[in-house]
Amino acid sequence: MQYAFPLLAIFIWAGNTVVNKLAVGAIFPAEIGFYRWLLAGLFFTPFMLKGVIAHWPQIRPNLGKIFVLGVLGMAVYQSLAYFAATMTSATNMGIILSLMPLMSLAMAIASLGQRLTAGALVGAVLSFAGVLVVVSSGSLGALLQHGVNLGDAMMLIATLAYAVYSTLLKKWQLRLPPLVLLYLQVLVAVAVLFPLYAASPKTGLTLHNLPLVLYACLLASMLAPLAWMQAVQRLGPSRTTLFFNLLPLITALIAAAVLKEQLAMYHLVGGLLTLGGVILSERWTTVIGKRVSLA
């Protein structure tokens, strides 16, 4: 039963990558990004307002940090994903997103004093090669000639933003209940995304796009984070993170079933290289430069 929580979160997030693609043409990226967090904020407020008031003495000195977390983890990450979906496939997005744990590990080594391991070094090379295969559609010559697809580049930046978010979350260790911290970040996203929403063209909510907005709001923004928090409490952060490795596979399967996206050989090769690199970085923990005693 304890494995149901991380699996539920991963299935929802994989489905949300496909929802990003389904939203293309149904609603403008700036709209769904804003509506998602606005509705989440409205749903959360009756339950979280009391908690915010109770923890205000701890919240007030950390408002700047909460603002940065909200911008990176909620506004930049997801908004870029919606724009990326207009220019690349859901399968590509899932494979690129699978780099996030490795990016977070690299940042932890650089900024949190975590030791560099052999797995992290070799895994980084493998995963980078895997993403190169995917973004080049299996032709590195074409990549050198034409460059990276703008949608793939946006997804790489979005993944990097979330990795920075995860690193800062660990570095700052704000002493607030997880749900209160999540709610405050949602409010930041609403405030930051409003100018973009106001300046962008609008489709408005319709019977066609409302289910997409509700999925992004209720499932991806509320239920999935709650399930992930439960998983971390029950399994620990290290074991829970391993489930993130399933994201590209599940995304590709859902995209093939729902969007009829064709899985090419370069998706398989790139996905396996990326997944293998991430798993290697997590499992091969020999510290580079550590002296081995022969006594």
Side-chain angles (χ1 to χ4, degrees):
M1 180 61 185
Q2 59 187 359
Y3 296 114
F5 291 102
L7 285 172
L8 175 62
I10 291 300
F11 268 97
I12 290 174
W13 283 328
N16 193 56
T17 302
V18 175
V19 166
N20 291 350
K21 195 67 182 174
L22 289 171
V24 176
I27 185 171
F28 285 101
E31 279 187 290
I32 188 171
F34 177 71
Y35 288 144
R36 168 186 183 168
W37 298 118
L38 176 65
L39 291 177
L42 291 174
F43 283 126
F44 266 134
T45 294
F47 307 101
M48 302 308 304
L49 202 54
K50 186 177 179 180
V52 169
I53 294 171
H55 291 90
W56 184 249
Q58 292 78 40
I59 293 170
R60 186 174 181 179
N62 291 301
L63 283 175
K65 293 178 179 178
I66 293 169
F67 179 80
V68 171
L69 292 173
V71 169
L72 289 172
M74 309 297 166
V76 173
Y77 163 64
Q78 191 56 59
S79 291
L80 278 178
Y82 287 126
F83 283 97
T86 65
M87 290 172 279
T88 190
S89 68
T91 302
N92 277 27
M93 291 171 70
I95 292 173
I96 293 170
L97 186 57
S98 69
L99 276 177
M100 196 274 289
L102 189 61
M103 287 181 174
S104 296
L105 177 60
M107 290 178 188
I109 292 170
S111 64
L112 302 180
Q114 190 167 323
R115 299 292 297 275
L116 176 63
T117 64
L121 187 60
V122 177
V125 174
L126 277 179
S127 293
F128 181 69
V131 169
L132 278 182
V133 170
V134 172
V135 301
S136 68
S137 300
S139 174
L140 293 180
L143 178 64
L144 292 174
Q145 184 177 357
H146 302 293
V148 178
N149 173 286
L150 183 57
D152 291 335
M154 284 185 172
M155 201 61 209
L156 280 167
I157 296 171
T159 304
L160 179 62
Y162 202 82
V164 174
Y165 165 82
S166 301
T167 303
L168 292 178
L169 202 59
K170 185 181 296 184
K171 182 176 183 178
W172 288 337
Q173 294 185 351
L174 303 181
R175 299 187 181 279
L176 292 169
L179 275 180
V180 171
L181 183 57
L182 175 63
Y183 172 66
L184 292 171
Q185 292 173 72
V186 168
L187 296 184
V188 169
V190 173
V192 169
L193 292 176
F194 177 73
L196 180 62
Y197 163 77
S200 75
K202 298 172 184 62
T203 302
L205 292 176
T206 66
L207 291 177
H208 179 53
N209 61 38
L210 184 59
L212 304 177
V213 175
L214 290 177
Y215 184 102
C217 167
L218 298 176
L219 298 183
S221 302
M222 299 176 71
L223 182 58
L226 290 174
W228 195 255
M229 288 175 193
Q230 282 294 316
V232 170
Q233 288 180 0
R234 294 165 182 261
L235 299 174
S238 298
R239 291 174 67 192
T240 301
T241 302
L242 291 175
F243 284 86
F244 203 88
N245 299 328
L246 296 172
L247 184 65
L249 173 62
I250 296 173
T251 301
L253 293 176
I254 297 175
V258 176
L259 303 173
K260 309 302 179 186
E261 288 188 1
Q262 298 297 315
L263 296 179
M265 182 55 68
Y266 68 82
H267 284 126
L268 178 61
V269 173
L272 287 176
L273 283 171
T274 304
L275 180 61
V278 174
I279 293 176
L280 196 63
S281 70
E282 293 170 345
R283 308 300 293 180
W284 188 7
T285 57
T286 302
V287 176
I288 293 178
K290 184 177 180 180
R291 295 181 179 178
V292 179
S293 175
L294 301 178

